[in-house]
Every structure is written in C-alpha cells, then in structure tokens.
Amino acid sequence: MPPRDLALVALVILAWGSNFSAMKIALDELPPLLFVALRFAILVPLIALFPRPAGWPAILAIGALINAGQFGFLFSAMRADVTAGLASLILQSQAPLTILLAWAVYGERITRLQGLGIGLAVCGLAGFGLASGGNITALGLGLLLCGALCWACGNLVFRRLQGVDMLALFLWASLVPPLPMLGLSLWLEGAAPLATVAALSPAGWGAVVYVALISTVLGYSIWGTLLSRHPAAQVTPFALLIPVVGLATAAVVLGERVTAAEALAGLTVLAGLALAVLGPRHVARRAARRPPPAP
C-alpha cells in the first residue's frame, strides 16, 4: 500500500477512534436517544447527493439494526455506565459475534484460530464483567453487547449486498432513526427536544457535527475509496486499531484511565479480535504456499 493510502488509513482510523470521545462530550448535554435522532437527522439532507444504493428492505434493515439499534444501545451505555475508551474496545465484539451469526445463519465455517479468538474475546468480556464498577458497570457492559449484536446482525445484511456504496447506504439508512428515536426519547427520557437542542453549547454542537459528518461522511468516503483500490484483506485488518486510538484519545481528551484489571481484560479482547479477524487470512496464506500434491 503506497504512503498516500497509508496516510488515508491513519486518517480514517483517527476519525473513527476519536469518535467515541466526541460522543461522550455530546452525551454530557444530550440524552442518548435524542442524540441518536439528532445525529441522523443532520445526515438526511445528504441523501439528495446519492442515488438510492439498494432496495428499501436493505435500507430499512441497516437503519434499524446499525443506525438505530447499535447507536441507541451504545449511547445509552456511554451516558453514565461506561467510559469512551472502553466503549470503543468492547463494541468491537461485533467481529466475533458476526462470525458466530454467519456460522448459525449461513453455515460459514469457523476455523480453529477463529474459535480460539472468539474464546479469548469472551474471556476478556467476562473479565470486564468481573471488574465492573469503575470505568464500566454491568449495565453498561450489557448495553454495549446489545449494540454489538445489532451491528453484527447488520453485518449479515451487508453480506447480501456485495458492491454497494457503503456511504450512500448509511446515508439513506439515516432516514430510519430520527422519528422513532425522537418518540422513544419523549417517552423514556422525558426530553423537551427543542429546548434541549437549543441549549447545546458550541462544544456540544461541535461534538454532534463531528460524530455525524466526520465519522460517517469522511470516514466511510475514505474507507470506500481504500476498498476500491486494494483487496479487502489488506484494508480491513487496520480496523483493529480503532479501539487503540479510542483508548488513547479518551485518555488525552477526557483524562480517562483504565485499571490494571481492565487493561488485562482489554488486551485479552484485542488478542481475541486479532485471531478472529486475521486467522482466516493466515490459513489462506499457508494454503497458498503449500506445494501442490505430486501427480
């Protein structure tokens, strides 16, 4: 990969990793479900710039599972029950969950390395459960895992949509969350939407715009460009750096610190993610190097 594209990789990983700190800043002023509604309402006008990329069932599924479900649970967890850094790490449990769901739904094979990776990730998540109470509560862990499950279910939809423009799909799926999330916010959070949004500080607005535009529009535009230039196996492993950047950014911007037990659990999860994501590529490379059988 040329230096220019490596710089683009670094930019998108920085955008997605720092996104969690921006979420935390916005959640200091917005209730979580109202934040979901506002984040995607900002994106809705942009669909005028993109042709509809898929059928309505796919758009509605991605909008409900990833845009509404994932972020509804994630923002609810981050409101008071988990730090930004740990949220960026634990949400990546969507990777082993996707592998398990693909096995259950599509019959996809799970390699030994993937199985070991999933087992390690589960042990790490159990470690967070045992260490809960400081930077993460049991409720926060449960909400994050629900968000990761929504993301994993959305990934199964993506597997049926080969060659679809990811940015266009996410923007069109932004039509789904605003009204349902606004209704849920009125019911569960008792929010006064107009007054709450009008009272947002410049920092709050900056965080909302960062999450809506920098993370989604800039991030997915660059990611889609990289995937069009290079094989997916060369690009997607860089996503493992997102929680590393998320933890580092939260430490610098928000002053977050992890305990020794949380650090051990986090390293276990990262090791599991690496095996689950990179394991099949390692097996494929070994198979490619193996000499053909003698005639």
Side-chain angles (χ1 to χ4, degrees), residues 145-214:
L145 291 177
C146 287
L149 180 60
C150 287
W151 187 355
C153 291
N155 287 339
L156 296 192
V157 179
F158 278 125
R159 286 177 183 242
R160 296 298 190 188
L161 300 173
Q162 299 296 324
V164 172
D165 185 333
M166 288 174 59
L167 174 59
L169 181 56
F170 270 98
L171 290 176
W172 276 82
S174 297
L175 290 167
V176 176
L179 289 179
M181 290 293 105
L182 178 60
L184 285 174
S185 179
L186 290 169
W187 177 34
L188 299 175
E189 297 170 340
L194 292 178
T196 303
V197 172
L200 275 176
S201 69
W205 271 115
V208 171
V209 171
Y210 188 93
V211 170
L213 297 182
I214 301 300

Side-chain angles (χ1 to χ4, degrees), residues 83 86 127-128 131-136 256-266:
T83 57
L86 291 185
F128 280 116
S132 65
N135 291 318
I136 184 170
E256 294 181 358
R257 296 292 183 269
V258 297
T259 65
E262 289 167 344
L264 179 60

Side-chain angles (χ1 to χ4, degrees), residues 46-53 165 167-169 171-172 217 221:
L46 296 179
I47 67 173
L49 304 176
F50 295 85
R52 183 160 57 88
D165 185 333
L167 174 59
L169 181 56
L171 290 176
W172 276 82
V217 179
S221 294

Side-chain angles (χ1 to χ4, degrees), residues 63-88:
L65 290 168
I66 293 185
N67 289 1
Q70 177 200 176
F71 288 105
F73 285 117
L74 171 62
F75 290 176
S76 297
M78 292 181 66
R79 173 73 168 183
D81 295 289
V82 63
T83 57
L86 291 185
S88 71

Side-chain angles (χ1 to χ4, degrees), residues 19-31 34-36 38-39 42 75 79 196-214 253-254:
N19 186 44
F20 290 86
S21 292
M23 292 175 186
K24 197 72 170 179
I25 292 171
L27 286 166
D28 286 339
E29 302 185 35
L30 286 169
L34 181 58
F35 183 16
V36 177
L38 181 60
R39 174 211 171 135
I42 290 173
F75 290 176
R79 173 73 168 183
T196 303
V197 172
L200 275 176
S201 69
W205 271 115
V208 171
V209 171
Y210 188 93
V211 170
L213 297 182
I214 301 300
V253 175
L254 304 175

Side-chain angles (χ1 to χ4, degrees), residues 17 25 33 35 53 60 86 178 218 225 230 260 267 284 287:
I25 292 171
L33 300 181
F35 183 16
L60 293 174
L86 291 185
L218 179 67
T225 299
H230 306 283
L267 288 173

